[in-house]
Amino acid sequence: RLEAEVTQKQSNIQIPNSPPWPRPKELSKDIRGKIVDLHKAGMQLGKKVTRVGAIIYKWKKRKITFNLPWSGAPCKISPHGVSMIMRTVRNQPTTTWEDLVNDLKAAGTIVTKKTIGNTLRHEELKSCSTRKVPLLKKPHAQARLKFGNEHLKDSEENWVKVLWSDETKIELFGINSTRRVLRRRNAGYDPKNTIPTVKHGGANIMLWGCFSAKGTGQLHCINGMMDRARTL
């Protein structure tokens, strides 16, 4: 009777190696237990490729008869491929998805841009616009750090006496291109993720302005070069 019931159930059941969609109708826990008991008693119930054989094989290997949850579609990119992607993005944040697809294709793995995007999101990387920062050389950065350390403990009365000024050159003609980088959160001002800017190019105007604790000063248009003597 048990063999007849199992045979009847097998007619509507796919083998374990079949695709997981749609999920096949499973044998009950009691029937699985009876199959194992009959196997222990020495009865030949079926070959390995059948549902009964699969249950017996699972019991021999893992000492269980129930089905483990499926993990979904396997990842098309191997751990080595993910490491290669992370290394490329870390060394060159401006790498595009298409560049990564071509790199993996050269390594023997064919994936789509969507797969690349899913992998980058899983690694907490996203595509962001580059931040534009002034082009500072090492002496400039050291001078600014030295100034900050020297005046770190200055009183509020001293800062009230300070007049802050700056000049800028505005380009009247030019192309402001936007580039994108792959970076983690709060890494926008990492030097690798920024674009140094310099003030040069076609027609332009030079503007000078200042501010202090009392408020902002007037904006002046400068003709010619802006030097120290002219500022004073």
Side-chain angles (χ1 to χ4, degrees), residues 158-216:
N158 291 335
W159 288 114
V160 170
K161 302 176 184 178
V162 176
L163 178 67
W164 304 91
S165 66
D166 194 14
E167 67 278 349
T168 183
K169 183 185 290 186
I170 300 177
E171 302 292 336
L172 301 182
F173 302 98
I175 299 176
N176 294 324
S177 61
T178 301
R179 300 183 63 184
R180 305 189 70 83
V181 294
L182 297 170
R183 62 172 175 83
R184 297 183 186 277
R185 189 177 181 182
N186 299 328
Y189 286 100
D190 189 293
K192 292 183 178 180
N193 301 328
T194 59
I195 295 181
T197 58
V198 294
K199 302 182 180 75
H200 62 80
N204 56 73
I205 57 174
M206 176 72 75
L207 299 177
W208 180 91
C210 63
F211 70 93
S212 67
K214 301 296 183 179
T216 58

Side-chain angles (χ1 to χ4, degrees), residues 84 88 92 94-106 113 116:
M84 184 178 69
T88 302
Q92 190 64 35
T94 56
T95 303
T96 63
W97 290 9
E98 186 175 358
D99 294 335
L100 296 175
V101 169
N102 295 332
D103 291 343
L104 288 178
K105 185 177 180 180
K113 294 182 181 179
I116 294 293

Side-chain angles (χ1 to χ4, degrees), residues 146-157:
K146 180 181 178 181
F147 176 85
N149 291 331
E150 290 176 350
H151 299 277
L152 186 62
K153 297 182 180 180
D154 286 2
S155 62
E156 184 176 348
E157 290 75 11

Side-chain angles (χ1 to χ4, degrees), residues 33-105:
K34 292 178 181 179
I35 291 174
V36 174
D37 292 338
L38 292 175
H39 172 72
K40 290 180 180 180
M43 183 178 296
Q44 298 293 330
L45 296 178
K47 298 180 180 180
K48 182 179 179 180
V49 295
T50 64
R51 170 64 74 178
V52 175
I55 294 174
I56 295 174
Y57 174 78
K58 185 184 302 182
W59 176 80
K60 287 182 178 179
K61 187 174 182 180
R62 300 189 179 93
K63 298 301 180 181
I64 59 174
T65 59
F66 58 87
N67 290 333
L68 296 175
W70 288 315
S71 59
C75 183
K76 297 190 66 175
I77 303 178
S78 64
H80 176 72
V82 174
S83 299
M84 184 178 69
I85 291 175
M86 297 301 297
R87 183 169 57 253
T88 302
V89 172
R90 183 168 55 252
N91 296 334
Q92 190 64 35
T94 56
T95 303
T96 63
W97 290 9
E98 186 175 358
D99 294 335
L100 296 175
V101 169
N102 295 332
D103 291 343
L104 288 178
K105 185 177 180 180

